[in-house]
Amino acid sequence: YFHDLTDPYSYLTLQLLAFNGAVLLAPAMNPEMWANETVVQNVAALKTRGYHIAEPIAGVVACGESGIGHVASDDAIIARLNDVMGIKILPGLVGKKVLISAGPMRTALDPVRYIQNRSSGKMGLALAKACAAAGAAKVEILLGPVGDDVRASFGEFSVHPYTSPADYDSALGKLFSACDILFSAAAVLDFEAITQSKKIDRAALAASPTLNTPIHAVPDFVAKYAAMKSPHQKVIAFAAETGSEPDIIARATAKMQAKKVDAIIANPVGPGLGPDSDMNTVWIIRPNHAPIKLGPLLKSDLGFAIVKNLYATE
């Protein structure tokens, strides 16, 4: 049996036969045709083979007759598609503009050396994908110097790069007022070096193996912008902590209160968890709420778990 490849329907049939992913069908036809036993049996057979159906609804069809055969509404098809793809729209994120800071921050010691926080950007990427899938109108990324593979994974989003504390502050200052929600997941520095104009000479260290590098404090960016937020804006901070679970929760709670943020996500730093890892454990801490523990989970799953707990019912 040979298909005429100039026939678009034959071409579509061949594509479906060769495709092994999920397929959603949204049929529309004459009401009598939809009710025909042959069509009923064919639809049942498609369902048993794993095809998903956004079934037609009552309405006037192309031939002018009325009955169940009109194509499902756009909203119904999108909702069915979300179900098929495992995407759940979260009321608190629908239509929101989300800004996510991710990745590490650097400070230069001299023209060839720098200090950098440990961060892969993977948690920020997971949050970005979760917010976009859950109904956010726009997701923008403030991204530090991450690896090329992670940077490429942010391709679907509007990305604003930064490297130093000054870069970060400048970019955040331009973007913050336009967002509804800021997830501050970046590993920002608490201090930065006063950069030496010339390369630090190895020979100069011969007499004393201690390198005394002048530094100065970096502003608390989360606190700064939380103090500037409008009533409709939310700031969600992250806190990487060491120690026991009670210690982590206590320190993160104190930071949430001091920074006056709407929530803080505390995560432990240890083997297999936190920066540079694919997995993490977190506690979601909010005023007047008991801490919620999530994980250990892959960061790709943890992103949606975090936004679901924050925005499923808002």
Side-chain angles (χ1 to χ4, degrees), residues 142-282:
L142 188 52
L143 187 61
V146 297
D148 290 342
D149 56 337
V150 176
R151 183 176 297 277
S153 299
F154 281 95
E156 65 186 280
F157 304 105
S158 176
V159 174
H160 307 269
Y162 72 87
T163 300
S164 68
D167 297 337
Y168 185 87
D169 194 18
S170 176
L172 189 53
K174 294 174 183 176
L175 298 168
F176 180 70
S177 63
C179 79
D180 297 301
I181 303 165
L182 168 65
F183 281 95
S184 179
V188 298
L189 292 167
D190 296 320
F191 64 87
E192 66 177 325
I194 298 175
T195 307
Q196 305 300 300
S197 60
K198 296 181 179 180
K199 180 183 175 183
I200 299 170
D201 191 349
R202 179 193 295 268
L205 299 174
S208 173
T210 301
L211 176 64
N212 296 313
T213 301
I215 62 172
H216 60 81
V218 168
D220 187 332
F221 296 115
V222 168
K224 174 181 176 178
Y225 286 93
M228 295 165 52
K229 67 186 179 78
S230 300
H232 75 279
Q233 290 182 298
K234 304 289 185 184
V235 174
I236 314 298
F238 276 66
E241 302 287 352
T242 56
S244 67
E245 181 173 333
D247 289 341
I248 290 171
I249 292 173
R251 284 198 294 271
T253 301
K255 287 182 179 180
M256 176 187 68
Q257 294 166 346
K259 297 172 189 288
K260 295 181 170 58
V261 294
D262 298 281
I264 198 162
I265 313 298
N267 64 276
V269 178
L273 296 174
D276 294 334
S277 173
D278 289 327
M279 298 192 71
N280 215 348
T281 294
V282 302

Side-chain angles (χ1 to χ4, degrees), residues 1-19:
Y1 178 70
F2 295 96
H3 282 273
D4 177 4
L5 295 183
T6 62
D7 178 356
Y9 297 104
S10 295
Y11 183 77
L12 179 59
T13 301
L14 290 175
Q15 291 297 308
L16 284 173
L17 289 173
F19 182 65

